[in-house]
Amino acid sequence: MTKTAHDDVSAARGIDPLALGATLYVPATRPDIRAVATGAKLSGLRSIVLCLEDAVAETDIDDALANLRALLAALGRIDAPTPDAPLLFVRPRSLAMAWEIAALPGAERLTGLVAPKVRPGGVAAWVAALGGRDLLLMPTLETPEVFDPCAMRDLRDELVATARGRVLALRIGGNDLLACLGLRRMPGETLYEGPLGPLVAQLVGLMIPAGFALTAPVFDIVRDPVTLAREAARDVAFGLCGKTAIHPMQVAIIEAAYAVGADDLARARAILEEDARAVFQHAGAMCEPTVHRAWARRVVARAALYGVAEEAWAADATG
């Protein structure tokens, strides 16, 4: 079997990108940053990004960096993270800031960095900025080049050549991509009903077969949980492994979409049986282990992380 970037990451750090779930972005200026980062403030979070980029005003950068330094120093004094502590990432403002953060005492307690606005030709510099630390990278796709299939092909090839084993997932920056078009989200519409739908499909076809997981853009209309649930279900259907969240109330809605239907879980387990027939029918669906095995493994992994969905909810969400 061909080894992929996903395989390398899993072997190196034991982290499946599916474990990201709803990734909550938090300004690094928050005074309760330690309680948030350790999971004491908001229980149940699977992953957090402490943001020093868009979420922090230029005038507040020094305070945000001081806050981060204090947090890392405090984490460095703890013997080990608690089992329920979230994966912890930092989103620096620039490449120079990434170098600074990776060199801080206590930076080894981070899971990795989220690299903003990564373009073709820039991957190696971001890997170098990790400074030899055992940190992972999540490049964000959010510049005009993302609309160019040739540029994304070049970026994919660069990721394969220079960042294999370092990239946990690629993050799709929906708001920045809409800004490239002079647009923003419309209430009541998922991103798949707008101009980003075909773009997400294009990125899925380019990046996932090369072994790079993708995460879904933020849904920034906080008071529309119904549309968020519809969009999260589509994210899962497109093979995306998690979603950016900007409010704690979004977390449970996003992660409910990753729960697995009982029929799908039964089919997946049947496909993975050592003595499974080459082709068979299960609950009215054809199963062919040769072509469905990767899907089955993913379904079983989702069930282990997010459980089995209530069938009524699953029907409503995908509806």
Side-chain angles (χ1 to χ4, degrees):
M1 181 181 295
T2 301
K3 197 173 186 182
T4 67
H6 183 173
D7 296 328
D8 286 346
V9 167
S10 297
R13 294 293 299 271
I15 302 173
D16 187 327
L18 277 171
L20 289 165
T23 302
L24 186 67
Y25 274 57
V26 177
T29 48
R30 279 186 66 140
D32 58 353
I33 191 172
R34 179 175 176 179
V36 172
T38 59
K41 175 84 174 184
L42 301 169
S43 64
L45 288 178
R46 297 174 188 268
S47 58
I48 292 174
V49 173
L50 304 176
C51 187
L52 289 104
E53 199 215 11
D54 293 344
V56 176
E58 190 79 30
T59 53
D60 294 331
I61 293 174
D62 289 343
D63 289 342
L65 282 170
N67 214 20
L68 179 62
R69 289 190 197 99
L71 169 66
L72 293 179
L75 293 178
R77 293 191 292 269
I78 301 173
D79 289 338
T82 58
D84 57 349
L87 301 174
L88 185 60
F89 298 86
V90 174
R91 185 182 190 184
R93 203 175 191 88
S94 64
L95 195 58
M97 186 182 286
W99 278 95
E100 180 181 353
I101 291 168
L104 290 174
E108 68 277 1
R109 301 302 291 269
L110 298 172
T111 308
L113 301 183
V114 173
K117 299 173 177 59
V118 173
R119 293 177 161 89
V123 174
W126 278 100
V127 173
L130 299 177
R133 297 265 195 175
D134 187 21
L135 299 174
L136 297 175
L137 195 65
M138 290 202 288
T140 309
L141 310 178
E142 54 185 347
T143 65
E145 292 90 343
V146 180
F147 293 93
D148 180 351
C150 293
M152 289 300 95
R153 180 199 60 201
D154 292 344
L155 180 63
R156 176 202 63 197
D157 293 347
E158 185 182 352
L159 287 163
V160 169
T162 65
R164 189 177 291 280
R166 283 290 198 172
V167 173
L168 179 59
L170 306 174
R171 306 199 70 84
I172 302 174
N175 281 347
D176 284 82
L177 292 172
L178 284 173
C180 292
L181 304 175
L183 300 173
R184 68 162 300 163
R185 279 186 174 274
M186 297 296 291
E189 291 186 2
T190 72
L191 71 88
Y192 298 96
E193 293 155 10
L196 294 192
L199 183 62
V200 171
Q202 175 182 293
L203 291 171
V204 165
L206 277 169
M207 299 301 184
I208 292 181
F212 296 101
L214 290 163
T215 68
V218 66
F219 183 82
D220 62 359
I221 304 174
V222 177
R223 295 187 178 182
D224 186 359
V226 173
T227 306
L228 172 58
R230 285 202 302 120
E231 180 166 299
R234 294 288 287 163
D235 295 337
V236 175
F238 268 65
L240 305 183
C241 68
K243 190 175 187 67
T244 297
I246 54 171
H247 193 284
M249 69 181 290
Q250 295 182 321
V251 171
I253 297 169
I254 292 168
E255 295 191 353
Y258 282 86
V260 174
D263 282 348
D264 276 346
L265 182 57
R267 288 189 193 101
R269 287 173 172 164
I271 287 166
L272 295 175
E273 289 288 344
E274 289 186 9
D275 59 351
R277 298 190 303 276
V279 180
F280 62 94
Q281 186 181 122
H282 188 282
M286 186 193 80
C287 297
E288 190 174 354
T290 301
V291 296
H292 294 150
R293 193 169 285 115
W295 169 85
R297 289 184 182 130
R298 185 178 178 87
V299 166
V300 170
R302 279 174 47 204
L305 286 165
Y306 301 102
V308 178
E310 294 289 338
E311 295 301 326
W313 179 90
D316 288 344
T318 58

